[in-house]
Amino acid sequence: DAKTTQPTSMDCAEGRAANLPCNHSTISGNEYVYWYRQIHSQGPQYIIHGLKNNETNEMASLIITEDRKSSTLILPHATLRDTAVYYCIVRGMGTDKLIFGTGTRLQVFP
Amino acid sequence: GAVVSQHPSRVICKSGTSVKIECRSLDFQATTMFWYRQFPKQSLMLMATSNEGSKATYEQGVEKDKFLINHASLTLSTLTVTSAHPEDSSFYICSARLGTVSYNEQFFGPGTRLTVL
């Protein structure tokens, strides 16, 4: 599976949009981009995933560049409860493993 | 969303004892479950893939005789840490895959914090 690169940490003001970038320049055509988050001392929570089209659900939006080498997770109105480590994971269609990198620690402040 | 539970949520044991951790999918059947370990301030590390009715597949460097995995039903997988030592103290997390398609999303349990004295 392709490797991902994320910033170590980010800050965001409450109520503002949080834009979390992820680089996956070696992604191949059959690999999906997944986002999970982990609030302190809890299990990871699935957020969203996509292949090449932009995706939106009740939690977030996922914007994937046309060349698929990078993506951005958008939390439209961040709240204090969104403070967590966010993981961007690339996974192929033929594998069920999720390999977690170091993720981005998002701190939402009042 | 699908719910996965773990029991116990935390356990403290003496060195040399064995500890069993249960992972249950509450509202769906999971033919495949996964076990992860997470040390403080580190990311999750996949330990093994557990398939119902068959032997688990362990990641490189994970001792299968130390970390026994049983997936006897479509809703339950267990991880037994045998002869636990202080270095086994960690946060153990399981996940269950929804359905049988390999790239379906996984749902995670709340984790079990193991402390070995």
Side-chain angles (χ1 to χ4, degrees):
Chain A
D1 295 327
K3 179 180 170 58
T4 62
T5 304
Q6 298 178 253
T8 303
S9 63
M10 294 181 64
D11 289 340
C12 178
E14 190 177 19
R16 305 295 293 269
N19 298 292
L20 291 87
C22 179
N23 285 323
H24 31 78
S25 58
T26 60
I27 193 170
S28 62
N30 66 349
E31 290 182 315
Y32 285 77
V33 179
Y34 287 79
W35 283 85
Y36 283 79
R37 72 180 182 183
Q38 185 179 25
I39 296 171
H40 182 62
S41 294
Q42 297 183 24
Q45 177 188 23
Y46 166 81
I47 301 174
I48 199 167
H49 75 281
L51 184 62
K52 55 182 179 180
N53 297 322
N54 297 337
E55 302 288 344
T56 296
N57 62 21
E58 64 278 4
M59 288 184 68
S61 294
L62 173 60
I63 308 298
I64 303 175
T65 58
E66 191 169 344
D67 62 8
R68 302 185 70 239
K69 292 185 177 182
S70 66
S71 61
T72 301
L73 178 73
I74 300 173
L75 307 178
H77 305 287
T79 70
L80 298 178
R81 288 180 295 180
D82 292 323
T83 293
V85 178
Y86 287 76
Y87 297 98
C88 169
I89 302 169
V90 170
R91 186 174 78 173
M93 294 177 66
T95 178
D96 48 16
K97 293 182 183 180
L98 285 174
I99 306 300
F100 286 79
T102 53
T104 295
R105 183 172 298 279
L106 175 68
Q107 178 69 52
V108 180
F109 57 92
Chain B
V3 179
V4 176
S5 70
Q6 279 185 243
H7 178 79
S9 57
R10 58 178 64 235
V11 56
I12 301 173
C13 69
K14 293 182 179 179
S15 184
T17 61
S18 295
V19 175
K20 180 185 283 188
I21 302 170
E22 294 184 347
C23 176
R24 293 181 185 274
S25 57
L26 297 185
D27 51 0
F28 67 102
Q29 293 183 332
T31 55
T32 303
M33 292 183 173
F34 305 85
W35 287 96
Y36 297 80
R37 181 168 56 180
Q38 185 175 34
F39 292 108
K41 298 189 184 302
Q42 294 187 22
S43 187
L44 285 79
M45 185 191 77
L46 179 65
M47 299 176 66
T49 301
S50 168
N51 292 297
E52 187 266 338
S54 64
K55 291 184 178 181
T57 303
Y58 291 83
E59 294 300 302
Q60 191 172 9
V62 178
E63 301 175 57
K64 61 180 181 180
D65 293 331
K66 181 169 183 62
F67 298 99
L68 301 179
I69 292 173
N70 184 277
H71 193 158
S73 79
L74 288 173
T75 59
L76 173 65
S77 176
T78 60
L79 168 69
T80 301
V81 183
T82 62
S83 186
H85 291 285
E87 58 266 30
D88 298 322
S89 297
S90 188
F91 193 48
Y92 291 86
I93 307 169
C94 72
S95 71
R97 188 187 69 204
L98 186 65
T100 59
V101 179
S102 63
Y103 51 85
N104 277 356
E105 57 264 38
Q106 296 177 22
F107 295 90
F108 286 79
T112 296
R113 188 162 303 281
L114 170 64
T115 302
V116 184
L117 302 176

XYZ file of all heavy atoms in Angstrom, chain B residues 46-115:
535
model
N -0.687 -3.065 13.721
C -1.466 -4.271 13.462
C -0.692 -5.482 13.961
O 0.476 -5.673 13.619
C -1.754 -4.406 11.972
C -2.541 -5.632 11.537
C -3.958 -5.607 12.113
C -2.602 -5.713 10.006
N -1.368 -6.298 14.768
C -0.744 -7.516 15.295
C -1.138 -8.734 14.457
O -0.291 -9.556 14.128
C -1.171 -7.754 16.743
C -0.782 -6.671 17.708
S -1.440 -6.998 19.345
C -0.541 -8.487 19.796
N -2.434 -8.848 14.182
C -2.891 -10.066 13.517
C -4.266 -9.857 12.917
O -5.018 -8.974 13.321
C -2.931 -11.217 14.514
N -4.549 -10.694 11.941
C -5.867 -10.746 11.295
C -6.535 -12.036 11.721
O -5.944 -13.124 11.599
C -5.722 -10.694 9.776
O -5.048 -9.493 9.410
C -7.084 -10.732 9.099
N -7.751 -11.925 12.199
C -8.480 -13.070 12.732
C -9.659 -13.398 11.827
O -10.496 -12.532 11.574
C -8.978 -12.704 14.138
O -9.908 -13.642 14.621
N -9.686 -14.595 11.306
C -10.771 -15.028 10.443
C -11.595 -16.115 11.129
O -11.038 -17.065 11.692
C -10.225 -15.566 9.120
C -9.611 -14.478 8.274
O -10.280 -13.548 7.859
N -8.324 -14.586 8.018
N -12.891 -15.983 11.061
C -13.790 -16.928 11.721
C -13.563 -18.339 11.195
O -13.547 -18.560 9.985
C -15.241 -16.484 11.503
C -16.258 -17.303 12.279
C -16.830 -18.436 11.454
O -16.776 -18.360 10.214
O -17.334 -19.404 12.053
N -13.340 -19.238 12.119
C -13.191 -20.635 11.765
C -11.839 -21.047 11.240
O -11.664 -22.192 10.828
N -10.881 -20.135 11.233
C -9.550 -20.518 10.755
C -8.478 -19.880 11.626
O -8.776 -19.056 12.488
C -9.364 -20.119 9.293
O -9.408 -18.717 9.155
N -7.252 -20.258 11.378
C -6.150 -19.714 12.175
C -5.902 -18.253 11.833
O -6.069 -17.828 10.693
C -4.880 -20.525 11.932
C -4.913 -21.939 12.500
C -3.576 -22.637 12.297
C -3.601 -24.026 12.914
N -2.295 -24.729 12.743
N -5.455 -17.527 12.837
C -5.149 -16.119 12.626
C -3.861 -15.966 11.824
O -2.984 -16.843 11.837
C -5.019 -15.402 13.960
N -3.754 -14.858 11.148
C -2.535 -14.506 10.418
C -1.822 -13.405 11.185
O -2.386 -12.329 11.390
C -2.876 -14.014 8.999
O -3.619 -15.012 8.314
C -1.592 -13.706 8.237
N -0.595 -13.668 11.586
C 0.145 -12.731 12.420
C 1.091 -11.882 11.573
O 1.664 -12.347 10.592
C 0.942 -13.491 13.476
C 0.072 -14.134 14.517
C -0.529 -15.369 14.282
C -0.160 -13.522 15.739
C -1.345 -15.965 15.227
C -0.961 -14.113 16.705
C -1.555 -15.333 16.439
O -2.357 -15.916 17.385
N 1.252 -10.634 11.991
C 2.214 -9.754 11.322
C 3.633 -10.144 11.747
O 3.855 -10.769 12.800
C 1.935 -8.304 11.683
C 0.606 -7.793 11.159
C 0.494 -7.855 9.656
O 1.344 -7.238 8.960
O -0.438 -8.542 9.155
N 4.554 -9.746 10.914
C 5.944 -10.073 11.192
C 6.372 -9.507 12.540
O 6.067 -8.348 12.864
C 6.833 -9.487 10.074
C 8.246 -9.979 10.095
C 9.015 -9.517 8.855
O 8.526 -8.700 8.076
N 10.198 -10.041 8.658
N 7.045 -10.329 13.315
C 7.541 -9.893 14.613
C 6.587 -10.110 15.770
O 6.963 -9.884 16.923
N 5.376 -10.554 15.489
C 4.403 -10.819 16.549
C 4.427 -12.312 16.872
O 4.244 -13.144 15.990
C 2.982 -10.392 16.127
C 1.977 -10.721 17.220
C 2.959 -8.912 15.811
N 4.650 -12.638 18.138
C 4.769 -14.045 18.539
C 3.398 -14.692 18.648
O 2.609 -14.369 19.534
C 5.477 -14.133 19.888
C 6.876 -13.522 19.911
C 7.440 -13.552 21.317
O 7.515 -14.657 21.895
O 7.793 -12.480 21.837
N 3.130 -15.636 17.787
C 1.809 -16.266 17.783
C 1.579 -17.134 19.011
O 0.427 -17.347 19.422
C 1.609 -17.092 16.515
C 2.597 -18.228 16.343
C 2.307 -18.971 15.045
C 3.256 -20.135 14.856
N 2.995 -20.864 13.590
N 2.627 -17.646 19.609
C 2.459 -18.478 20.800
C 2.236 -17.637 22.044
O 1.789 -18.148 23.073
C 3.689 -19.370 21.001
C 3.817 -20.398 19.893
O 2.768 -20.794 19.343
O 4.953 -20.782 19.573
N 2.562 -16.374 21.956
C 2.364 -15.475 23.092
C 1.007 -14.781 23.008
O 0.354 -14.555 24.013
C 3.458 -14.432 23.138
C 3.314 -13.491 24.323
C 4.539 -12.631 24.505
C 4.384 -11.773 25.739
N 4.260 -12.572 26.971
N 0.615 -14.456 21.815
C -0.654 -13.753 21.599
C -1.588 -14.719 20.859
O -1.600 -14.782 19.634
C -0.435 -12.477 20.796
C 0.453 -11.477 21.476
C 1.796 -11.370 21.132
C -0.045 -10.659 22.475
C 2.618 -10.445 21.760
C 0.761 -9.731 23.101
C 2.103 -9.628 22.754
N -2.396 -15.439 21.646
C -3.282 -16.441 21.074
C -4.598 -15.799 20.653
O -5.232 -15.105 21.439
C -3.543 -17.556 22.096
C -2.299 -18.299 22.609
C -2.713 -19.341 23.625
C -1.525 -18.924 21.470
N -4.980 -16.061 19.430
C -6.206 -15.479 18.899
C -7.157 -16.591 18.520
O -6.781 -17.542 17.843
C -5.908 -14.575 17.698
C -5.141 -13.331 18.154
C -7.200 -14.177 16.995
C -4.650 -12.464 17.035
N -8.411 -16.429 18.963
C -9.463 -17.379 18.625
C -10.663 -16.620 18.094
O -11.100 -15.638 18.678
C -9.863 -18.186 19.868
C -10.894 -19.244 19.539
O -12.092 -18.970 19.476
N -10.439 -20.451 19.304
N -11.198 -17.070 16.969
C -12.349 -16.403 16.334
C -13.380 -17.477 16.064
O -13.569 -17.900 14.932
C -11.881 -15.726 15.047
C -12.854 -14.758 14.461
N -12.471 -13.767 13.596
C -14.195 -14.623 14.609
C -13.532 -13.074 13.227
N -14.577 -13.575 13.826
N -14.027 -17.910 17.151
C -14.878 -19.093 17.071
C -16.266 -18.819 16.519
O -16.970 -19.742 16.123
C -14.997 -19.732 18.455
N -16.686 -17.554 16.505
C -18.011 -17.244 15.974
C -17.943 -15.980 15.149
O -16.912 -15.293 15.130
C -19.024 -17.069 17.119
O -18.898 -15.787 17.710
N -19.030 -15.665 14.477
C -19.045 -14.496 13.596
C -19.146 -13.179 14.357
O -19.117 -12.115 13.747
C -20.213 -14.610 12.604
C -20.030 -15.660 11.519
C -21.314 -15.809 10.716
C -18.885 -15.278 10.586
N -19.276 -13.247 15.673
C -19.380 -12.017 16.447
C -18.362 -11.915 17.573
O -18.380 -10.950 18.335
C -20.792 -11.876 17.062
O -21.037 -13.006 17.906
C -21.857 -11.796 15.977
N -17.460 -12.888 17.687
C -16.540 -12.875 18.809
C -15.150 -13.329 18.415
O -14.969 -14.382 17.811
C -17.062 -13.777 19.926
C -16.121 -14.003 21.127
C -15.905 -12.691 21.883
C -16.690 -15.073 22.054
N -14.185 -12.510 18.775
C -12.778 -12.884 18.658
C -12.121 -12.608 19.999
O -12.468 -11.626 20.670
C -12.075 -12.076 17.565
O -10.692 -12.377 17.509
N -11.211 -13.480 20.403
C -10.513 -13.271 21.672
C -9.014 -13.246 21.455
O -8.484 -13.956 20.591
C -10.855 -14.361 22.701
O -10.464 -15.640 22.174
C -12.335 -14.362 23.019
N -8.358 -12.408 22.235
C -6.904 -12.323 22.258
C -6.442 -12.686 23.660
O -6.880 -12.066 24.633
C -6.438 -10.905 21.907
C -4.964 -10.582 22.150
C -4.086 -11.345 21.171
C -4.708 -9.070 22.015
N -5.609 -13.695 23.763
C -5.057 -14.087 25.054
C -3.572 -13.781 25.071
O -2.823 -14.289 24.221
C -5.288 -15.580 25.340
O -6.688 -15.854 25.329
C -4.716 -15.954 26.697
N -3.181 -12.938 26.011
C -1.767 -12.639 26.204
C -1.250 -13.633 27.233
O -1.641 -13.592 28.403
C -1.555 -11.195 26.696
C -0.062 -10.884 26.813
C -2.236 -10.196 25.768
N -0.427 -14.562 26.794
C 0.045 -15.621 27.690
C 1.329 -15.196 28.390
O 2.167 -14.496 27.808
C 0.297 -16.913 26.914
O 1.319 -16.681 25.947
C -0.961 -17.373 26.206
N 1.447 -15.597 29.641
C 2.631 -15.286 30.436
C 3.028 -13.814 30.249
O 4.127 -13.506 29.774
C 3.785 -16.208 30.051
O 4.898 -16.019 30.907
N 2.119 -12.963 30.629
C 2.328 -11.530 30.381
C 3.494 -10.985 31.200
O 3.736 -11.405 32.337
C 1.052 -10.770 30.704
N 4.211 -10.043 30.614
C 5.322 -9.367 31.278
C 5.115 -7.866 31.159
O 4.324 -7.396 30.327
C 6.644 -9.807 30.655
C 6.981 -11.231 30.955
N 7.445 -11.647 32.185
C 6.875 -12.349 30.193
C 7.629 -12.946 32.163
N 7.291 -13.401 30.980
N 5.804 -7.092 31.968
C 5.594 -5.632 31.946
C 5.713 -5.016 30.551
O 4.999 -4.052 30.245
C 6.687 -5.120 32.894
C 6.848 -6.224 33.889
C 6.685 -7.495 33.079
N 6.560 -5.554 29.711
C 6.706 -4.988 28.365
C 5.487 -5.234 27.479
O 5.365 -4.649 26.388
C 7.965 -5.534 27.675
C 8.014 -7.037 27.550
C 8.778 -7.694 28.702
O 8.775 -7.132 29.826
O 9.348 -8.781 28.459
N 4.566 -6.103 27.952
C 3.320 -6.327 27.216
C 2.259 -5.302 27.583
O 1.175 -5.280 26.985
C 2.778 -7.735 27.496
C 3.723 -8.822 27.047
O 4.359 -8.660 25.975
O 3.852 -9.843 27.764
N 2.548 -4.472 28.570
C 1.607 -3.423 28.958
C 1.385 -2.508 27.758
O 2.346 -1.973 27.182
C 2.161 -2.618 30.135
O 2.314 -3.434 31.270
N 0.127 -2.336 27.391
C -0.179 -1.570 26.188
C -1.686 -1.386 26.089
O -2.449 -1.874 26.917
C 0.347 -2.304 24.945
O 0.235 -1.509 23.786
N -2.080 -0.672 25.062
C -3.501 -0.476 24.728
C -3.801 -1.410 23.575
O -3.211 -1.277 22.498
C -3.709 0.991 24.350
C -5.138 1.437 24.274
C -6.029 1.140 25.297
C -5.590 2.189 23.210
C -7.353 1.570 25.237
C -6.901 2.624 23.137
C -7.787 2.321 24.154
N -4.690 -2.376 23.795
C -5.015 -3.355 22.766
C -6.383 -3.006 22.184
O -7.361 -2.840 22.913
C -5.014 -4.775 23.348
C -3.633 -5.241 23.720
C -3.089 -4.943 24.970
C -2.848 -5.949 22.808
C -1.804 -5.353 25.307
C -1.564 -6.355 23.143
C -1.059 -6.035 24.385
O 0.223 -6.434 24.717
N -6.426 -2.909 20.871
C -7.647 -2.487 20.190
C -8.003 -3.512 19.120
O -7.124 -3.973 18.385
C -7.446 -1.114 19.506
C -6.917 -0.087 20.509
C -8.744 -0.617 18.884
C -6.440 1.194 19.851
N -9.287 -3.839 19.034
C -9.720 -4.734 17.967
C -10.600 -3.958 16.985
O -11.105 -2.886 17.294
C -10.495 -5.926 18.516
S -12.138 -5.514 19.124
N -10.720 -4.498 15.815
C -11.652 -3.936 14.841
C -12.337 -5.080 14.117
O -11.824 -6.206 14.071
C -10.943 -3.027 13.834
O -10.150 -3.784 12.945
N -13.500 -4.790 13.571
C -14.252 -5.792 12.823
C -14.623 -5.202 11.483
O -15.061 -4.050 11.399
C -15.507 -6.192 13.598
N -14.430 -5.989 10.451
C -14.749 -5.520 9.111
C -16.201 -5.822 8.795
O -16.698 -6.929 9.035
C -13.837 -6.178 8.078
C -13.992 -5.590 6.686
C -13.187 -6.386 5.686
N -13.741 -7.720 5.484
C -13.039 -8.752 5.043
N -11.757 -8.620 4.785
N -13.613 -9.920 4.885
N -16.855 -4.829 8.225
C -18.256 -4.980 7.848
C -18.347 -5.771 6.554
O -17.691 -5.412 5.565
C -18.883 -3.600 7.662
C -20.385 -3.521 7.405
C -21.137 -4.013 8.621
C -20.782 -2.088 7.086
N -19.061 -6.867 6.548
C -19.252 -7.642 5.338
C -18.021 -8.438 4.954
O -17.063 -8.573 5.715
N -18.023 -8.916 3.755
C -16.955 -9.808 3.301
C -16.037 -9.176 2.266
O -15.030 -9.766 1.879
C -17.547 -11.095 2.697
O -18.395 -10.718 1.608
C -18.359 -11.857 3.715
N -16.354 -7.959 1.840
C -15.505 -7.296 0.857
C -14.267 -6.753 1.544
O -14.358 -6.086 2.577
C -16.270 -6.156 0.151
C -15.358 -5.454 -0.843
C -17.493 -6.713 -0.562
N -13.095 -7.020 0.966
C -11.845 -6.724 1.677
C -11.682 -5.247 2.013
O -11.120 -4.908 3.053
C -10.646 -7.189 0.852
O -10.580 -6.470 -0.363
N -12.189 -4.341 1.167
C -11.921 -2.933 1.406
C -13.076 -2.221 2.103
O -13.123 -0.993 2.163
C -11.567 -2.229 0.100
C -12.543 -2.443 -1.032
C -13.678 -1.651 -1.159
C -12.335 -3.446 -1.955
C -14.571 -1.849 -2.188
C -13.225 -3.655 -2.994
C -14.341 -2.850 -3.106
O -15.220 -3.065 -4.117
N -14.034 -2.981 2.620
C -15.073 -2.351 3.440
C -14.462 -1.732 4.682
O -13.407 -2.146 5.156
C -16.124 -3.375 3.854
C -17.172 -3.602 2.788
O -17.166 -2.941 1.759
N -18.066 -4.543 3.031
N -15.168 -0.729 5.212
C -14.616 -0.063 6.391
C -14.609 -0.985 7.598
O -15.412 -1.903 7.711
C -15.385 1.220 6.716
C -16.867 1.047 6.947
C -17.670 1.331 5.689
O -17.208 0.957 4.594
O -18.762 1.897 5.819
N -13.662 -0.706 8.491
C -13.556 -1.440 9.735
C -14.076 -0.563 10.865
O -13.914 0.657 10.841
C -12.105 -1.802 10.018
C -11.493 -2.748 9.007
C -10.037 -3.008 9.300
O -9.554 -2.838 10.419
N -9.316 -3.446 8.276
N -14.685 -1.199 11.824
C -15.182 -0.497 12.997
C -14.399 -0.981 14.212
O -14.194 -2.185 14.392
C -16.682 -0.731 13.165
C -17.479 -0.142 12.034
C -17.761 -0.894 10.904
C -17.920 1.167 12.094
C -18.471 -0.345 9.846
C -18.630 1.722 11.045
C -18.904 0.970 9.921
N -13.974 -0.032 15.005
C -13.056 -0.329 16.094
C -13.757 -0.404 17.443
O -14.742 0.299 17.697
C -11.960 0.742 16.163
C -10.958 0.614 15.056
C -11.244 1.083 13.794
C -9.727 0.010 15.283
C -10.314 0.953 12.755
C -8.793 -0.115 14.271
C -9.100 0.359 13.003
N -13.211 -1.258 18.301
C -13.652 -1.295 19.669
C -13.035 -0.161 20.466
O -12.156 0.542 19.963
N -13.458 0.004 21.702
C -12.963 1.103 22.534
C -11.583 0.865 23.116
O -10.991 1.779 23.688
C -14.014 1.198 23.645
C -14.568 -0.182 23.741
C -14.552 -0.738 22.347
N -11.071 -0.335 22.967
C -9.728 -0.630 23.459
C -9.723 -1.219 24.856
O -10.662 -1.046 25.651
N -8.642 -1.948 25.141
C -8.406 -2.539 26.465
C -7.015 -2.138 26.920
O -6.029 -2.395 26.219
C -8.494 -4.081 26.415
O -9.814 -4.477 26.060
C -8.114 -4.687 27.757
N -6.953 -1.502 28.069
C -5.643 -1.097 28.585
C -5.122 -2.165 29.529
O -5.737 -2.442 30.565
C -5.726 0.253 29.303
C -4.352 0.790 29.682
C -4.363 2.273 29.986
N -4.869 3.081 28.880
C -4.161 3.420 27.804
N -2.922 2.993 27.676
N -4.691 4.192 26.880
N -4.035 -2.777 29.144
C -3.415 -3.844 29.939
C -2.197 -3.293 30.663
O -1.314 -2.701 30.033
C -2.997 -5.006 29.045
C -2.129 -6.093 29.693
C -2.892 -6.794 30.808
C -1.663 -7.103 28.658
N -2.185 -3.499 31.967
C -1.025 -3.141 32.767
C -0.521 -4.393 33.460
O -1.280 -5.059 34.174
C -1.377 -2.080 33.829
O -1.901 -0.930 33.168
C -0.135 -1.687 34.624
